[in-house]
Amino acid sequence: MPDPQKNQADADFQRLDAVVIGAGFAGLYALYRLRDVLGLDVRVYETGDGVGGTWYWNRYPGARCDSESFYYSYSFSEELEQEWEWTSKYPEQPEILSYLNHVADRFDLRRDIRLATKVASATFDETQGLWDVRTEHGERVLCQFVITAVGCLSAANVPDIPGRDSFEGDWYHTGAWPKEGVDFSGKRVGLIGTGSTGIQATPEIAAQAEHLTVFQRTPNFTVPARNAKLSPEQWAEIKQNYRAIRKKTRETHAGFPYTPTQRSALAVSDEERQAIYEQLWEEGGFKFMWGSFSDIMVDRDANHTAAEFIRSKIREMVDDPEVAEKLCPTDHPYGSKRPPIDTNYYVTFNRDNVTLVDIKESPIVEITPKGVRTQDGEYELDTIVFATGFDAMTGSLLRIDICGAGGVPLAEKWEAGPRTYLGLQIAGFPNLFTITGPGSPSVLLNMPVAIEQHVDWISGCIEHMRERGLTRIEASEEAEDAWVEHVNEVAKQTLFYEAKSWYLGANVPGKPRVFMPYVAGQPLYRERCEAVAKAGYEGFELSA
Ligand code: NA7
């Protein structure tokens, strides 16, 4: 029997040029670029009831950006640059969210964004050469292009610990934090996870809660952020130099406007090396990693010098030597997991109301109605905070039912791990572009720089197609195979491969171990993308 309701839904559709999935940094710029520069009919679908993506969802206490505000921002509009002033070096989540809302208003983007509307599926219709996009509300769009702007760290990873649902208190994942906030006063709080998020949240929760118990599986190396307000004089200078700053962010390995160093950590004397680390520790931020020595991520001995320096700082800052040792990472090279930066993380463990529990030594056995039970005993809690990260880079794509040519589901294509060409397209999925997809530098780059480069490339590609009457573009299997091999080859030459990180899918049980971001750095990647375009989109098959 035909289902009349389904038939009706099938009949009601809108025909557009493109659908963008997600209204964070990437989706907002993609909409601006495709609609206002190329003149396409575009709709953006966004699960949240506001724009902002990562900065909409991650409202946990202490959430702030680890890149400095004046370059963790859009560069596409000089007017926007000149009119917006960040209050501090590392802005907090509410300020970044205000910025993204300002961008949505300033460029009149909201009229083409459907909020609180989750895309359920996107299916490539071979006969029409169009994508059939359906939302969970039953809206349907047929469009030529689908552009995913779903974020690399958006699919929350809530560990399936036995007994989780029996907990009688409240629990939260940091990446889906309640809008109204959480009041920790008088509460016994347990925080699981000590990645960038747990490290940002720990000092803030400790300052509010009656007691905070931090459950640490792997200690992390973190460097002080040294956040500070930006003065009117600093702003005047930044505004005057914006073009030069942006230029540099497009030329450096990780998209920061720092002059890259060529010196090896092993080519200087111990005293000189120590002085360099000290100076950068005082300065704070990612410069410690990117501005100290050139071989930290490729030479184990060079890396050891940075790791030892940080361990010595931990021992200096943490009063209890036993706690200090537990906080010292020893199982992975510095930087091989995403290096956090912090505000008062280590000294928080000197507070009387903070306990560190090493769950590698004594693993969590279960969550009980009253709290968390490790092998050593039960910790009674009122609230549990899961700072346990994300099903990174692939989770947010795979949570949408995407089917390419021949009805092949993306989940099937990626069964053994993600495969893309340049992180921009997937063979067998014509006209689907993945902003900051796996296989591109993405999370190893200052994200707005990575996003703008991808959106500009994609819009350039669509423009190229339109000018030539081409309607279909698809990465070839050969180009994809070669790219995947190259991405893994390059990663294996670095120390990134030595950590069980989310870069490698190691944080999610059962996830295939494939190194996902491209580590060779922005200049090489950008050059490659430009060369591919210049050669008529080499490695892609284009047709009318
Ligand atoms: P991360 O960096 O993935 O950190 C998650 C933390 O949670 C990390 O310490 C994990 O330990 C821990 N974790 C994950 N699963 C479990 C289970 N099952 N039990 C105990 N502990 C667990 O996520 P973040 O949110 O901190 O940061 C994500 C990115 O956001 C960050 O890199 C920036 O780019 C911004 P593990 O190390 O796996 O042993």
Side-chain angles (χ1 to χ4, degrees), residues 153 159 192-197 217-218 337-338 359 387-390 502:
L153 296 154
I192 305 178
T194 51
S196 302
T197 301
R217 189 163 70 180
T218 312
K337 288 189 164 193
R338 158 68 154 75
I359 54 171
T388 43
F390 301 89
W502 56 255

Side-chain angles (χ1 to χ4, degrees), residues 436-484:
T436 63
S440 72
S442 58
V443 291
L444 296 178
L445 215 63
N446 173 22
M447 279 311 273
V449 175
I451 285 166
E452 286 191 336
Q453 188 250 338
H454 264 193
V455 172
D456 292 347
W457 191 95
I458 292 164
S459 79
C461 175
I462 294 176
E463 196 176 7
H464 170 95
M465 291 172 71
R466 298 218 141 192
E467 280 167 4
R468 288 162 183 76
L470 300 165
T471 52
R472 178 172 164 145
I473 178 164
E474 183 181 348
S476 75
E477 292 279 355
E478 300 73 47
E480 184 178 87
D481 289 348
W483 185 251
V484 171

